[in-house]
């Protein structure tokens, strides 16, 4: 009985982790801003603490107007000071 409970609990935790990671930080419900950065995707709340290690560079836009290249959208939006991002690395 205890072994069955442990297996069930392990499967539940595994499923939860997979769903959490696969949901990512970016989805179709995110709004794009209009104006000078009309291609900017706004980061949504709550922000994720765990991101995948995929490399899809984005240019993160900070609240103070500065920019920095991040490895992927999730990594950019996990930074609380990033308000949004545009696809591709930041231009120099």
């Amino acid at each position: 009985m205890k072994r069955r409970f442990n297996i069930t609990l392990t499967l539940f935790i595994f499923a939860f982790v997979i769903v959490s990671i696969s949901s990512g930080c970016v989805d179709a419900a995110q709004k794009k801003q209009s104006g000078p950065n009309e291609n900017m995707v706004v980061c949504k709340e709550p922000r994720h603490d765990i991101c995948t290690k995929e490399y899809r560079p984005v240019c993160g836009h900070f609240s103070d107007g500065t920019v920095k290249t991040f490895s992927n959208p999730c990594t950019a939006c996990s930074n609380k000071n990033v308000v949004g991002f545009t696809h591709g690395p930041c231009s120099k």
Side-chain angles (χ1 to χ4, degrees):
M1 183 74 166
K2 185 175 181 180
R3 180 175 165 84
R4 185 174 179 181
F5 174 76
N6 287 341
I7 292 172
T8 304
L9 181 62
T10 303
L11 288 175
F12 176 78
I13 291 171
F14 179 76
F16 177 78
V17 169
I18 295 299
V19 169
S20 297
I21 291 173
S22 67
S23 66
C25 292
V26 181
D27 64 18
Q30 287 181 321
K31 293 188 255 177
K32 291 189 177 184
Q33 230 179 3
S34 59
N37 291 325
E38 64 185 35
N39 293 326
M40 186 170 82
V41 178
V42 178
C43 295
K44 66 177 183 174
E45 298 292 338
R47 308 233 178 174
H48 290 272
D49 295 324
I50 301 172
C51 298
T52 60
K53 297 282 185 180
E54 66 187 309
Y55 184 71
R56 280 189 305 145
V58 296
C59 183
H61 297 261
F62 289 88
S63 53
D64 66 0
T66 59
V67 295
K68 175 185 172 187
T69 299
F70 289 88
S71 62
N72 60 54
C74 182
T75 305
C77 287
S78 67
N79 184 316
K80 298 287 185 195
N81 295 319
V82 173
V83 293
F85 63 89
T86 50
H87 293 281
C90 302
S91 56
K92 294 183 180 191

